[in-house]
Amino acid sequence: MGKIFESTPSYQKGLIGEEIVKKLLESRGICVRRPADTAKSGASVLDFFVEDTLGISYFVEVKVKSPKNYAYGRFQVYTFPKSQIKLYKNYIKEKNSWVDIYIVDEEREKIFVGNIEFFEDFNEFNGIEYPIKFEDKTFPVDIEHSNGIYHYYNINQFYTVGRITGVS
């Protein structure tokens, strides 16, 4: 990534979020490294390739986010550009794996996770992509904005895995 972006607050916040999740995973005996196809610039579709204590490997993406209100504040959601979710899906389908999406929620001061997995036998994605109804709304839902289409996930589609702790 260009030097100009490395000094931006959002870039720095992302690095801190990655370090928080990396330490959380390593504290649980999970081996964390960058994906093999990471560019020299450090750019990759997903942040980490991990292997757990049973030898099971998969991918991890980290986002630092706060919930947004949806449907006149009735629901709290995490939003992602639909194009970004499509990239994740294509990548895990190609790699025959899944991705755990970690949310470092700066407002709630907790770490949440949800996953997207592909089932080849059924040619469908599951995890947080599996439609689920909360009251009268089904999530995920796509909402068009002036700058593109966003995928909205209800915060309850993610589960808590830890509290945000300092990074040294």
Side-chain angles (χ1 to χ4, degrees):
M1 180 160 300
K3 297 282 183 208
I4 191 168
F5 294 105
E6 292 176 3
S7 63
T8 64
S10 62
Y11 180 82
Q12 294 301 317
K13 191 186 293 188
L15 290 178
I16 293 167
E18 287 178 18
E19 189 62 25
I20 289 168
V21 170
K22 182 177 184 219
K23 284 185 178 223
L24 173 74
L25 294 171
E26 289 174 341
S27 75
R28 296 177 177 179
I30 296 173
C31 176
V32 180
R33 58 187 181 272
R34 295 289 177 189
D37 55 4
T38 299
K40 286 184 181 182
S41 67
S44 62
V45 174
L46 297 167
D47 293 320
F48 301 121
F49 177 75
V50 301
E51 187 173 336
D52 69 16
T53 55
L54 299 174
I56 298 169
S57 57
Y58 53 97
F59 295 91
V60 166
E61 177 68 357
V62 179
K63 294 294 179 196
V64 178
K65 293 186 172 285
S66 292
K68 297 183 184 309
N69 289 320
Y70 170 64
Y72 304 104
R74 288 180 37 224
F75 304 99
Q76 288 197 305
V77 297
Y78 292 124
T79 66
F80 292 80
K82 186 174 181 179
S83 58
Q84 187 175 36
I85 297 299
K86 185 176 180 182
L87 269 175
Y88 300 162
K89 287 178 168 182
N90 289 340
Y91 192 83
I92 62 171
K93 188 174 180 181
E94 175 189 315
K95 302 289 185 187
N96 193 27
S97 189
W98 74 87
V99 60
D100 280 353
I101 299 175
Y102 282 82
I103 305 289
V104 178
D105 189 318
E106 54 193 337
E107 184 179 301
R108 298 192 293 164
E109 298 182 352
K110 292 182 182 175
I111 305 165
F112 299 89
V113 68
N115 74 344
I116 300 175
E117 48 193 329
F118 180 71
F119 292 101
E120 194 169 353
D121 292 347
F122 302 105
N123 195 33
E124 69 180 29
F125 289 93
N126 218 327
I128 59 174
E129 283 298 295
Y130 188 81
I132 186 165
K133 198 167 191 164
F134 293 95
E135 295 179 28
D136 61 337
K137 299 282 185 201
T138 301
F139 294 90
V141 62
D142 291 336
I143 306 292
E144 190 167 355
H145 292 255
S146 60
N147 60 344
I149 299 173
Y150 282 77
H151 218 52
Y152 283 36
Y153 295 103
N154 188 296
I155 62 169
N156 295 311
Q157 291 176 266
F158 294 79
Y159 59 94
T160 308
V161 292
R163 296 198 62 78
I164 296 175
T165 58
V167 178
S168 55

